[in-house]
Amino acid sequence: MYSYMKRDSRLSGVLHVLLHMAQQPGPFTSETLAKAMDTNPVVIRRIMAGLRELGYVHSERGHGGGWTLACDLSKVTLRDVYAALGSPSLLAMGNRTEAPGCLVEQAVNAALAQAFGDAEALLLSRLGEVTLAMLSDDLRKRLGSRKIHDISAHRA
Amino acid sequence: MYSYMKRDSRLSGVLHVLLHMAQQPGPFTSETLAKAMDTNPVVIRRIMAGLRELGYVHSERGHGGGWTLACDLSKVTLRDVYAALGSPSLLAMGNRTEAPGCLVEQAVNAALAQAFGDAEALLLSRLGEVTLAMLSDDLRKRLGSRKIHDISAHRA
DNA sequence: CTATCATGTAACATGTATAGTTACATGAAA
DNA sequence: TTTCATGTAACTATACATGTTACATGATAG
């Protein structure tokens, strides 16, 4: 591959959570999900907050509480999930100055805006083509003949 | 537009410098270029180091020293310049784990790798289509009837 | 030869964003 | 009323680009 791909892994993380949840009935506590993701329960709650607001998941407190899926997986795309995270920046690079008076800067910005804009649009388009149901189906294929993946047994 | 576009502005910055240099004969000191970019001379030297190694620019020390263009502007693309910077990450998002044992993570990574890979490839392709000469021509059009842009008078 | 200029570079400070952690309030169920 | 689980603020850790200071290296002017 080309570059490194680091930094923001919230989309990756929240999809991991959703896919786990799609494999067995809930509810799942933040702690359970956090253990499966090797992270902290508060991180789970944080990345799930936006999805709850949009009604993709539901959360309940107290005994027997936790997170449950609350949407039609075939209706929610990766782009929807991305938006639920607050649409964080997709590109790592950008213009030095957004609205420069300098004509040199304007010429540079125009050229880069074209390339960056095209790439961003394509990425959003691709994310919009993939539903959670498609991801879940792909996962089931990968699981193959094995029994239903038990989240409590999770750990590489 | 969609997202914020912040962070790494080295490509934008170094293109700004190169375009300035293409408007008049050199050499230009790091200090002159830094003033035009409203930044620090060391920052200029830093982002120019890679271009010097690839022979796109030349630097000389002492009296009358500074930076000069040392390439055919019609032969160097924005992608070449990007590579000269060390090919920093283009995308702000990535996978949580790069080589996971977990099948769930693998399914997520596969889906995202597709979308991210396509976007990254498109971006690199677009950058590869634009030469510094094309950028410089565009700039001259923007300058229109005005006199040759004097870098010493630069300042929005 | 030496003073000045300009790059080369290391080292450190700053700003910002994600990720991880602690602490505690809120509310639901046993 | 005790226990469990989420909701959230506040703080720490980490990473990276950017900004700055300091000084060595080398080239030119006198």
Side-chain angles (χ1 to χ4, degrees):
Chain A
M1 275 301 166
Y2 298 118
S3 51
Y4 295 83
M5 288 256 252
K6 251 174 294 195
R7 283 239 189 59
D8 192 337
S9 65
R10 280 175 292 176
L11 181 57
S12 172
V14 77
L15 289 176
H16 190 157
V17 168
L18 292 174
L19 238 59
H20 261 303
M21 292 173 68
Q23 301 309 303
Q24 30 178 339
F28 304 85
T29 67
S30 301
E31 196 181 342
T32 300
L33 295 170
K35 271 184 188 137
M37 307 254 314
D38 200 33
T39 183
N40 192 289
V42 177
V43 173
I44 301 292
R45 295 188 193 117
R46 200 141 63 191
I47 63 178
M48 296 285 274
L51 279 78
R52 181 185 52 226
E53 277 169 34
L54 291 185
Y56 299 154
V57 295
H58 174 74
S59 66
E60 221 153 334
R61 307 202 239 200
H63 277 281
W67 298 90
T68 46
L69 291 172
C71 62
D72 181 349
L73 294 185
S74 67
K75 292 273 193 297
V76 178
T77 68
L78 303 197
R79 178 169 177 166
D80 294 326
V81 175
Y82 162 74
L85 293 173
S87 303
S89 188
L90 292 169
L91 300 176
M93 312 190 73
N95 295 327
R96 263 174 15 96
T97 311
E98 216 48 57
C102 173
L103 286 173
V104 179
E105 188 100 54
Q106 283 177 22
V108 171
N109 283 9
L112 292 181
Q114 176 88 31
F116 288 156
D118 286 357
E120 195 166 44
L122 177 64
L123 180 45
L124 286 171
S125 167
R126 286 277 186 278
L127 293 178
E129 288 165 5
V130 182
T131 66
L132 293 178
M134 291 164 66
L135 258 190
S136 184
D137 287 350
D138 176 59
L139 171 57
R140 284 175 197 283
K141 277 186 202 120
R142 288 169 191 268
L143 288 170
S145 59
R146 313 178 197 195
K147 350 177 155 10
I148 289 297
H149 190 56
D150 183 355
I151 197 175
S152 64
H154 183 290
R155 185 127 291 226
Chain B
M1 275 302 164
Y2 298 116
S3 52
Y4 295 83
M5 287 259 247
K6 249 176 296 194
R7 283 235 188 61
D8 193 337
S9 64
R10 279 175 292 177
L11 181 57
S12 171
V14 79
L15 290 176
H16 191 156
V17 168
L18 293 174
L19 239 58
H20 261 302
M21 292 173 69
Q23 300 310 303
Q24 28 177 337
F28 304 84
T29 67
S30 302
E31 197 180 343
T32 300
L33 295 171
K35 272 184 188 139
M37 306 255 314
D38 201 30
T39 183
N40 193 291
V42 177
V43 173
I44 300 293
R45 295 190 193 116
R46 200 142 64 192
I47 63 178
M48 296 285 274
L51 278 77
R52 180 185 53 225
E53 277 169 34
L54 292 185
Y56 298 154
V57 294
H58 173 73
S59 66
E60 221 154 333
R61 306 201 238 200
H63 275 281
W67 298 90
T68 47
L69 291 172
C71 64
D72 181 347
L73 295 185
S74 67
K75 292 271 194 297
V76 178
T77 68
L78 303 197
R79 178 168 176 166
D80 295 325
V81 175
Y82 162 74
L85 292 174
S87 302
S89 189
L90 291 170
L91 301 175
M93 312 190 74
N95 295 328
R96 264 175 13 97
T97 311
E98 215 48 55
C102 171
L103 286 173
V104 180
E105 188 100 52
Q106 283 175 23
V108 172
N109 284 6
L112 292 181
Q114 176 88 34
F116 288 154
D118 286 356
E120 195 165 44
L122 176 64
L123 180 46
L124 286 172
S125 167
R126 286 277 187 276
L127 293 178
E129 289 166 3
V130 181
T131 66
L132 293 178
M134 291 164 66
L135 258 190
S136 185
D137 287 349
D138 176 56
L139 171 56
R140 284 177 197 280
K141 278 186 201 118
R142 288 170 190 267
L143 288 172
S145 59
R146 312 180 199 197
K147 346 177 155 10
I148 290 298
H149 192 55
D150 182 356
I151 197 176
S152 63
H154 184 291
R155 185 128 289 222

